[in-house]
């Protein structure tokens, strides 16, 4: 579906364009996985190990219905924008993702580390799920989710991957603590190598952020106070002890609507999440940014889906790059998937159009895969549509304490 001369045909192309468009440190901040990046790479490689059942040739459904409902929200396809900090990718920030996802008829996660407040993003896409980490003591956390609830967030996502090892073998991107004169001088060579990127920031019109990214996180402000800086908020989060399941049960009690726990990779944790009141679990390793050398999320999905059964919705993120990957995830037990980097690549490549473009690529691939497999609705996708190699699935033995 070519709606503009910038329209691209694959997520790989969005990534190439993002690489050309973004300063190196911004591109690498999106790309990076933790340590050696083994898990990040496995997230995509694992999909390549899966095979579809041989295609059918006649009696195929003339139209395919891709619609579904996730976290109480109707979607035109089972693909959602995963919550991500997008500070320096595009001056529209999360508003760009909201516009692109609204055009695609789907929902977005909004990270508490976002650069725009939930109340302003929701105007562009009311299908907004607010996401927090266990990043503060109970009272502060409550005030954050309360602000998102008042803004109209439809669901709460609580991300519980926890380790985030610091060192990356190929170097962590140098992102300044704040954008001041010293930082501008230090980053000038990178910026000058990407004049269109700089121009995009400097040219912003009325009502939008002007100048350069300010690296603040307004959703993490306490009370009516000012928005803290990204790094200060990140350090505060890392100083908070990891929550107990009782803490999670408490948080669930503070939120009336759909409640998703993101970062589940084990069936025993999935059961505990359901016991704590989760209405959904997201199988995720944070795009390979949690403990490196843990398995791809798609490998963990079947055991988690079996443990959860029909007691909660199961989502998956990590490594989805084409519509066929979405079908594979549905076949292995997910109700829908979330995408992180592809959204950021689309945003970098062509703003809201680029985000929309990425969703249309996945929609087209999903549709043609369903056609080949003879499935008329996403709900009809079955385990037998996928050939799973021996040893692919992990976690079947992890139901202990
Ligand atoms: C740059 C970047 C920032 C992210 N920030 C967050 C975040 O603030 N909260 C969160 O729950 N997940 C965050 N994630 C993880 C994504 O939500 C998602 O789990 C992951 O990107 C999915 O893998 P994919 O990038 O291969 O699609 C981030 C990921 C990236 C790449």
């Amino acid at each position: 579906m070519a709606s503009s001369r910038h329209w691209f045909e694959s997520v790989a192309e969005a990534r190439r364009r993002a690489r050309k468009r973004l300063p190196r440190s911004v591109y690498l901040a999106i790309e990076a996985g933790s340590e050696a990046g083994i898990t990040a790479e496995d997230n995509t490689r694992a999909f390549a190990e899966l095979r579809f059942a041989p295609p059918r040739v006649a009696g195929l459904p003339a139209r395919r219905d891709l619609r579904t409902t996730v976290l109480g929200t109707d979607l035109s396809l089972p693909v959602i924008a995963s919550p991500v900090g997008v500070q320096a990718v595009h001056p529209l920030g999360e508003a760009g993702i909201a516009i692109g996802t609204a055009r695609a008829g789907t929902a977005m996660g909004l990270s508490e580390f976002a650069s725009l407040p939930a109340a302003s993003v929701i105007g562009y896409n009311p299908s907004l799920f607010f996401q927090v980490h266990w990043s503060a003591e109970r009272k502060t956390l409550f005030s954050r989710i309360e602000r998102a609830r008042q803004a109209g967030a439809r669901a709460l996502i609580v991300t519980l991957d926890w380790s985030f090892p610091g060192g990356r073998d190929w170097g962590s991107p140098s992102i300044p603590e704040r954008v001041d004169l010293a930082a501008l001088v230090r980053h000038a060579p990178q910026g000058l190598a990407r004049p269109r990127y700089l121009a995009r920031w400097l040219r912003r019109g009325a009502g939008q952020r002007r100048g350069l990214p300010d690296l603040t996180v307004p959703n993490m402000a306490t009370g009516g106070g000012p928005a803290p800086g990204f790094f200060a908020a990140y350090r505060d989060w890392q100083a908070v002890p990891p929550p107990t399941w009782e803490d999670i049960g408490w948080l669930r009690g503070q939120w009336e609507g759909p409640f998703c726990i993101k970062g589940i990779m084990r069936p025993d944790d999935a059961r505990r999440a359901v016991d704590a009141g989760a209405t959904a679990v997201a199988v995720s390793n944070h795009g390979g940014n949690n403990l490196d050398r843990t398995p791809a999320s798609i490998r963990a999905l079947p055991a988690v889906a079996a443990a959860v059964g029909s007691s909660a919705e199961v989502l998956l993120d990590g490594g989805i790059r084409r519509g066929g990957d979405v079908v594979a995830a549905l076949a292995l037990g997910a109700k829908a998937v979330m995408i992180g980097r592809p959204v950021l690549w689309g945003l970098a490549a062509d703003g809201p159009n680029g985000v929309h473009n990425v969703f249309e690529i996945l929609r087209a691939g999903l549709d043609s895969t369903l056609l080949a497999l003879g499935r008329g609705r996403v709900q009809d996708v079955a385990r037998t549509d996928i050939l799973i190699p021996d040893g692919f699935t992990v976690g079947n033995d992890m139901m202990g304490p």
Side-chain angles (χ1 to χ4, degrees):
M1 189 207 296
S3 80
S4 91
R5 73 192 165 83
H6 298 297
W7 207 252
F8 40 87
E9 63 177 306
S10 68
V11 170
E13 176 59 19
R15 183 186 188 179
R16 279 193 290 275
R17 291 185 186 199
R19 184 175 198 151
K20 264 198 225 153
R21 191 56 84 86
L22 293 173
R24 190 174 149 72
S25 57
V26 179
Y27 179 76
L28 287 182
I30 299 173
E31 195 70 11
S34 53
E35 295 190 329
I38 289 166
T39 300
E41 198 194 322
D42 195 36
N43 274 350
T44 47
R45 191 181 44 222
F47 280 103
E49 289 174 22
L50 295 169
R51 295 288 175 272
F52 294 114
R56 299 173 193 274
V57 292
L60 302 173
R63 284 171 182 276
R64 279 72 54 195
D65 185 352
L66 310 186
R67 288 171 302 168
T68 193
T69 303
V70 171
L71 294 169
T73 297
D74 294 335
L75 310 174
S76 75
L77 81 173
V79 187
I80 302 164
S82 212
V84 284
V86 297
Q87 295 286 339
V89 175
H90 191 281
L92 283 174
E94 294 78 9
I97 297 180
I99 296 166
T101 48
R103 280 187 203 153
T106 191
M108 69 177 283
L110 183 78
S111 169
E112 64 176 350
F113 280 98
S115 56
L116 293 173
S120 74
V121 178
I122 208 158
Y124 299 100
N125 188 351
S127 300
L128 184 131
F129 306 148
F130 186 63
Q131 178 263 323
V132 291
H133 306 86
W134 188 262
S135 53
E137 39 92 31
R138 287 185 178 190
K139 201 167 135 234
T140 307
L141 210 49
F142 175 74
S143 71
R144 282 183 200 155
I145 66 170
E146 182 58 16
R147 203 163 39 210
R149 191 190 63 73
Q150 281 172 10
R154 296 228 178 128
L156 186 67
I157 300 176
V158 183
T159 299
L160 292 183
D161 355 73
W162 203 254
S163 64
F164 300 102
R168 287 173 168 143
D169 287 7
W170 37 301
S172 282
S174 73
I175 297 174
E177 186 92 9
R178 69 179 69 78
V179 184
D180 54 14
L181 192 60
L184 283 179
V185 170
R186 212 170 41 250
H187 288 79
Q190 283 191 44
L192 294 174
R194 294 287 185 271
R196 283 170 75 195
Y197 170 84
L198 265 190
R200 203 186 239 176
W201 275 95
L202 298 174
R203 152 168 32 94
R204 288 320 310 169
Q208 286 159 10
R209 292 183 301 164
R210 283 189 109 105
L212 292 164
D214 65 3
L215 302 182
T216 56
V217 284
N219 295 293
M220 295 179 95
T222 318
F230 180 93
F231 288 98
Y234 186 84
R235 277 193 296 266
D236 285 352
W237 164 33
Q238 294 293 301
V240 177
T244 61
W245 282 109
E246 198 222 321
D247 288 326
I248 301 305
W250 167 82
L251 185 60
R252 202 289 165 258
Q254 312 308 309
W255 183 267
E256 267 180 28
F259 184 90
C260 174
I261 299 185
K262 174 170 179 279
I264 297 291
M265 287 289 289
R266 307 170 52 106
D268 47 1
D269 275 356
R271 281 270 178 83
R272 288 185 188 109
V274 171
D275 290 346
T279 55
V281 297
V283 178
S284 169
N285 52 35
H286 219 100
N289 273 296
N290 196 10
L291 179 63
D292 198 22
R293 287 182 282 157
T294 52
S297 48
I298 188 72
R299 300 187 196 277
L301 173 62
V304 169
V308 168
S310 58
S311 48
E313 294 175 336
V314 178
L315 309 179
L316 171 116
D317 69 66
I320 299 278
R321 302 291 180 263
R322 47 190 96 243
D325 298 342
V326 182
V327 176
L330 299 183
L332 268 52
K335 189 167 191 201
V337 302
M338 301 199 285
I339 53 172
R341 292 179 183 85
V343 171
L344 294 174
W345 294 329
L347 184 67
D350 197 18
N353 276 338
V355 173
H356 182 202
N357 193 154
V358 161
F359 281 91
E360 294 311 320
I361 290 164
L362 296 179
R363 191 194 310 278
L366 177 53
D367 188 62
S368 60
T369 308
L370 290 184
L371 174 63
L373 296 171
R375 302 292 183 197
R377 303 181 319 150
V378 284
Q379 290 77 8
D380 297 338
V381 172
R383 178 68 69 92
T384 49
D385 290 329
I386 293 287
L387 313 176
I388 308 174
D390 287 346
F392 182 86
T393 300
V394 298
N396 291 320
D397 51 347
M398 292 174 194
M399 282 308 294

